mmCIF file with all atom_site columns, all heavy atoms in Angstrom:
data_model
loop_
_atom_site.group_PDB
_atom_site.id
_atom_site.type_symbol
_atom_site.label_atom_id
_atom_site.label_alt_id
_atom_site.label_comp_id
_atom_site.label_asym_id
_atom_site.label_entity_id
_atom_site.label_seq_id
_atom_site.pdbx_PDB_ins_code
_atom_site.Cartn_x
_atom_site.Cartn_y
_atom_site.Cartn_z
_atom_site.occupancy
_atom_site.B_iso_or_equiv
_atom_site.pdbx_formal_charge
_atom_site.auth_seq_id
_atom_site.auth_comp_id
_atom_site.auth_asym_id
_atom_site.auth_atom_id
_atom_site.pdbx_PDB_model_num
ATOM 1  N N   . SER A 1 158 ? 7.098   14.731 7.158  1.00 93.00 ? 158 SER A N   1
ATOM 2  C CA  . SER A 1 158 ? 8.017   15.771 7.233  1.00 93.00 ? 158 SER A CA  1
ATOM 3  C C   . SER A 1 158 ? 7.530   17.091 6.908  1.00 93.00 ? 158 SER A C   1
ATOM 4  O O   . SER A 1 158 ? 8.122   18.138 7.172  1.00 93.00 ? 158 SER A O   1
ATOM 5  C CB  . SER A 1 158 ? 9.288   15.463 6.339  1.00 93.00 ? 158 SER A CB  1
ATOM 6  O OG  . SER A 1 158 ? 9.003   15.479 5.019  1.00 93.00 ? 158 SER A OG  1
ATOM 7  N N   . VAL A 1 159 ? 6.295   17.170 6.239  1.00 91.00 ? 159 VAL A N   1
ATOM 8  C CA  . VAL A 1 159 ? 5.702   18.404 5.804  1.00 91.00 ? 159 VAL A CA  1
ATOM 9  C C   . VAL A 1 159 ? 4.230   18.367 6.294  1.00 91.00 ? 159 VAL A C   1
ATOM 10 O O   . VAL A 1 159 ? 3.380   18.086 5.483  1.00 91.00 ? 159 VAL A O   1
ATOM 11 C CB  . VAL A 1 159 ? 5.834   18.671 4.272  1.00 91.00 ? 159 VAL A CB  1
ATOM 12 C CG1 . VAL A 1 159 ? 5.427   19.996 3.943  1.00 91.00 ? 159 VAL A CG1 1
ATOM 13 C CG2 . VAL A 1 159 ? 7.246   18.438 3.800  1.00 91.00 ? 159 VAL A CG2 1
ATOM 14 N N   . PRO A 1 160 ? 3.948   18.603 7.566  1.00 92.00 ? 160 PRO A N   1
ATOM 15 C CA  . PRO A 1 160 ? 2.553   18.564 8.047  1.00 92.00 ? 160 PRO A CA  1
ATOM 16 C C   . PRO A 1 160 ? 1.590   19.429 7.290  1.00 92.00 ? 160 PRO A C   1
ATOM 17 O O   . PRO A 1 160 ? 0.416   19.078 7.106  1.00 92.00 ? 160 PRO A O   1
ATOM 18 C CB  . PRO A 1 160 ? 2.641   18.928 9.519  1.00 92.00 ? 160 PRO A CB  1
ATOM 19 C CG  . PRO A 1 160 ? 4.034   18.631 9.853  1.00 92.00 ? 160 PRO A CG  1
ATOM 20 C CD  . PRO A 1 160 ? 4.918   18.906 8.654  1.00 92.00 ? 160 PRO A CD  1
ATOM 21 N N   . LEU A 1 161 ? 2.091   20.560 6.807  1.00 92.00 ? 161 LEU A N   1
ATOM 22 C CA  . LEU A 1 161 ? 1.201   21.508 6.082  1.00 92.00 ? 161 LEU A CA  1
ATOM 23 C C   . LEU A 1 161 ? 0.669   20.821 4.742  1.00 92.00 ? 161 LEU A C   1
ATOM 24 O O   . LEU A 1 161 ? -0.456  20.975 4.334  1.00 92.00 ? 161 LEU A O   1
ATOM 25 C CB  . LEU A 1 161 ? 1.985   22.803 5.707  1.00 92.00 ? 161 LEU A CB  1
ATOM 26 C CG  . LEU A 1 161 ? 1.250   23.866 4.955  1.00 92.00 ? 161 LEU A CG  1
ATOM 27 C CD1 . LEU A 1 161 ? -0.012  24.354 5.691  1.00 92.00 ? 161 LEU A CD1 1
ATOM 28 C CD2 . LEU A 1 161 ? 2.119   24.974 4.619  1.00 92.00 ? 161 LEU A CD2 1
ATOM 29 N N   . LEU A 1 162 ? 1.523   20.072 4.141  1.00 92.00 ? 162 LEU A N   1
ATOM 30 C CA  . LEU A 1 162 ? 1.211   19.322 2.994  1.00 92.00 ? 162 LEU A CA  1
ATOM 31 C C   . LEU A 1 162 ? 0.031   18.330 3.241  1.00 92.00 ? 162 LEU A C   1
ATOM 32 O O   . LEU A 1 162 ? -0.904  18.200 2.524  1.00 92.00 ? 162 LEU A O   1
ATOM 33 C CB  . LEU A 1 162 ? 2.381   18.602 2.372  1.00 92.00 ? 162 LEU A CB  1
ATOM 34 C CG  . LEU A 1 162 ? 2.174   17.766 1.117  1.00 92.00 ? 162 LEU A CG  1
ATOM 35 C CD1 . LEU A 1 162 ? 1.772   18.590 -0.028 1.00 92.00 ? 162 LEU A CD1 1
ATOM 36 C CD2 . LEU A 1 162 ? 3.401   16.924 0.856  1.00 92.00 ? 162 LEU A CD2 1
ATOM 37 N N   . VAL A 1 163 ? 0.194   17.625 4.427  1.00 93.00 ? 163 VAL A N   1
ATOM 38 C CA  . VAL A 1 163 ? -0.881  16.649 4.772  1.00 93.00 ? 163 VAL A CA  1
ATOM 39 C C   . VAL A 1 163 ? -2.089  17.369 4.944  1.00 93.00 ? 163 VAL A C   1
ATOM 40 O O   . VAL A 1 163 ? -3.249  16.938 4.507  1.00 93.00 ? 163 VAL A O   1
ATOM 41 C CB  . VAL A 1 163 ? -0.427  15.912 6.029  1.00 93.00 ? 163 VAL A CB  1
ATOM 42 C CG1 . VAL A 1 163 ? -1.576  15.024 6.516  1.00 93.00 ? 163 VAL A CG1 1
ATOM 43 C CG2 . VAL A 1 163 ? 0.789   15.082 5.808  1.00 93.00 ? 163 VAL A CG2 1
ATOM 44 N N   . ARG A 1 164 ? -2.132  18.520 5.667  1.00 92.00 ? 164 ARG A N   1
ATOM 45 C CA  . ARG A 1 164 ? -3.401  19.316 5.930  1.00 92.00 ? 164 ARG A CA  1
ATOM 46 C C   . ARG A 1 164 ? -4.065  19.770 4.694  1.00 92.00 ? 164 ARG A C   1
ATOM 47 O O   . ARG A 1 164 ? -5.282  19.671 4.467  1.00 92.00 ? 164 ARG A O   1
ATOM 48 C CB  . ARG A 1 164 ? -3.104  20.452 6.833  1.00 92.00 ? 164 ARG A CB  1
ATOM 49 C CG  . ARG A 1 164 ? -3.045  20.103 8.354  1.00 92.00 ? 164 ARG A CG  1
ATOM 50 C CD  . ARG A 1 164 ? -3.015  21.336 9.105  1.00 92.00 ? 164 ARG A CD  1
ATOM 51 N NE  . ARG A 1 164 ? -1.724  21.994 8.799  1.00 92.00 ? 164 ARG A NE  1
ATOM 52 C CZ  . ARG A 1 164 ? -0.873  22.370 9.700  1.00 92.00 ? 164 ARG A CZ  1
ATOM 53 N NH1 . ARG A 1 164 ? -1.129  22.272 10.964 1.00 92.00 ? 164 ARG A NH1 1
ATOM 54 N NH2 . ARG A 1 164 ? 0.167   22.975 9.257  1.00 92.00 ? 164 ARG A NH2 1
ATOM 55 N N   . LYS A 1 165 ? -3.266  20.268 3.700  1.00 93.00 ? 165 LYS A N   1
ATOM 56 C CA  . LYS A 1 165 ? -3.773  20.780 2.423  1.00 93.00 ? 165 LYS A CA  1
ATOM 57 C C   . LYS A 1 165 ? -4.447  19.596 1.603  1.00 93.00 ? 165 LYS A C   1
ATOM 58 O O   . LYS A 1 165 ? -5.496  19.781 1.103  1.00 93.00 ? 165 LYS A O   1
ATOM 59 C CB  . LYS A 1 165 ? -2.751  21.569 1.614  1.00 93.00 ? 165 LYS A CB  1
ATOM 60 C CG  . LYS A 1 165 ? -2.520  22.914 2.249  1.00 93.00 ? 165 LYS A CG  1
ATOM 61 C CD  . LYS A 1 165 ? -1.580  23.715 1.304  1.00 93.00 ? 165 LYS A CD  1
ATOM 62 C CE  . LYS A 1 165 ? -1.422  25.107 1.864  1.00 93.00 ? 165 LYS A CE  1
ATOM 63 N NZ  . LYS A 1 165 ? -0.538  25.968 1.003  1.00 93.00 ? 165 LYS A NZ  1
ATOM 64 N N   . MET A 1 166 ? -3.662  18.533 1.587  1.00 93.00 ? 166 MET A N   1
ATOM 65 C CA  . MET A 1 166 ? -4.150  17.410 0.790  1.00 93.00 ? 166 MET A CA  1
ATOM 66 C C   . MET A 1 166 ? -5.368  16.805 1.407  1.00 93.00 ? 166 MET A C   1
ATOM 67 O O   . MET A 1 166 ? -6.326  16.368 0.767  1.00 93.00 ? 166 MET A O   1
ATOM 68 C CB  . MET A 1 166 ? -3.055  16.380 0.569  1.00 93.00 ? 166 MET A CB  1
ATOM 69 C CG  . MET A 1 166 ? -1.983  16.778 -0.308 1.00 93.00 ? 166 MET A CG  1
ATOM 70 S SD  . MET A 1 166 ? -0.697  15.557 -0.520 1.00 93.00 ? 166 MET A SD  1
ATOM 71 C CE  . MET A 1 166 ? -1.468  14.554 -1.739 1.00 93.00 ? 166 MET A CE  1
ATOM 72 N N   . THR A 1 167 ? -5.497  16.877 2.701  1.00 93.00 ? 167 THR A N   1
ATOM 73 C CA  . THR A 1 167 ? -6.670  16.311 3.459  1.00 93.00 ? 167 THR A CA  1
ATOM 74 C C   . THR A 1 167 ? -7.874  17.192 3.093  1.00 93.00 ? 167 THR A C   1
ATOM 75 O O   . THR A 1 167 ? -8.939  16.621 2.881  1.00 93.00 ? 167 THR A O   1
ATOM 76 C CB  . THR A 1 167 ? -6.434  16.266 4.990  1.00 93.00 ? 167 THR A CB  1
ATOM 77 O OG1 . THR A 1 167 ? -5.305  15.383 5.204  1.00 93.00 ? 167 THR A OG1 1
ATOM 78 C CG2 . THR A 1 167 ? -7.597  15.716 5.740  1.00 93.00 ? 167 THR A CG2 1
ATOM 79 N N   . ARG A 1 168 ? -7.709  18.488 3.077  1.00 93.00 ? 168 ARG A N   1
ATOM 80 C CA  . ARG A 1 168 ? -8.848  19.373 2.761  1.00 93.00 ? 168 ARG A CA  1
ATOM 81 C C   . ARG A 1 168 ? -9.240  19.146 1.360  1.00 93.00 ? 168 ARG A C   1
ATOM 82 O O   . ARG A 1 168 ? -10.461 19.107 0.997  1.00 93.00 ? 168 ARG A O   1
ATOM 83 C CB  . ARG A 1 168 ? -8.395  20.850 2.946  1.00 93.00 ? 168 ARG A CB  1
ATOM 84 C CG  . ARG A 1 168 ? -8.513  21.262 4.412  1.00 93.00 ? 168 ARG A CG  1
ATOM 85 C CD  . ARG A 1 168 ? -8.410  22.805 4.605  1.00 93.00 ? 168 ARG A CD  1
ATOM 86 N NE  . ARG A 1 168 ? -7.242  23.348 3.963  1.00 93.00 ? 168 ARG A NE  1
ATOM 87 C CZ  . ARG A 1 168 ? -6.203  23.708 4.666  1.00 93.00 ? 168 ARG A CZ  1
ATOM 88 N NH1 . ARG A 1 168 ? -6.144  23.584 5.967  1.00 93.00 ? 168 ARG A NH1 1
ATOM 89 N NH2 . ARG A 1 168 ? -5.141  24.297 3.996  1.00 93.00 ? 168 ARG A NH2 1
ATOM 90 N N   . ASN A 1 169 ? -8.326  19.040 0.449  1.00 91.00 ? 169 ASN A N   1
ATOM 91 C CA  . ASN A 1 169 ? -8.651  18.722 -1.014 1.00 91.00 ? 169 ASN A CA  1
ATOM 92 C C   . ASN A 1 169 ? -9.450  17.416 -1.105 1.00 91.00 ? 169 ASN A C   1
ATOM 93 O O   . ASN A 1 169 ? -10.350 17.305 -1.803 1.00 91.00 ? 169 ASN A O   1
ATOM 94 C CB  . ASN A 1 169 ? -7.375  18.608 -1.844 1.00 91.00 ? 169 ASN A CB  1
ATOM 95 C CG  . ASN A 1 169 ? -6.794  19.968 -2.080 1.00 91.00 ? 169 ASN A CG  1
ATOM 96 O OD1 . ASN A 1 169 ? -7.455  20.986 -1.953 1.00 91.00 ? 169 ASN A OD1 1
ATOM 97 N ND2 . ASN A 1 169 ? -5.501  20.023 -2.401 1.00 91.00 ? 169 ASN A ND2 1
#
Side-chain angles (χ1 to χ4, degrees):
S158 67
V159 188
L161 181 61
L162 178 66
V163 174
R164 278 188 297 231
K165 285 186 177 184
M166 290 182 80
T167 299
R168 283 194 301 259
N169 288 337

